[in-house]
Amino acid sequence: DFIAVSAGMFHSLALRADGSIVGWGYNENGQINVPEGNNFAAVSAGGYYSLALHSDGTIIGWGFNNFDQIDVPAGDYFEAVTAGYAHALAYPYQR
């Protein structure tokens, strides 16, 4: 029942078909302490942090934030998100 998986530096995330997230691996900075709920559309594991895209187009981040990589942009207009080692990218919804 998994539809997506993402590998970070020392941790991994998986997105279930029901929209919930599972995390495993190294958790020194809380990067696998996944948010509750089942309204997620995408996940991405970064260096020591994680990102998830809600089905409403908003982004949530958790874990280590030494370079402001989880200070996600405000708004609900995103359709994709990806996490690098110490940076993140979000693709805005194209109207």
Side-chain angles (χ1 to χ4, degrees):
D1 71 327
F2 294 101
I3 58 172
V5 65
S6 180
M9 185 77 163
F10 298 109
H11 73 290
S12 298
L13 300 173
L15 179 65
R16 292 183 181 269
D18 70 358
S20 63
I21 302 170
V22 177
W24 65 97
Y26 185 71
N27 196 35
E28 177 76 19
N29 300 288
Q31 62 268 44
I32 64 170
N33 295 345
V34 300
E36 292 185 19
N38 62 347
N39 58 344
F40 297 98
V43 294
S44 189
Y48 296 96
Y49 70 102
S50 301
L51 299 172
L53 177 67
H54 282 118
S55 56
D56 68 2
T58 59
I59 301 168
I60 184 172
W62 64 96
F64 198 46
N65 196 31
N66 59 328
F67 296 108
D68 300 324
Q69 62 270 40
I70 63 171
D71 294 341
V72 299
D76 60 355
Y77 303 109
F78 299 97
E79 60 182 72
V81 66
T82 188
Y85 175 73
H87 69 288
L89 300 170
Y91 186 75
Y93 177 73
Q94 301 297 308
R95 296 175 192 229

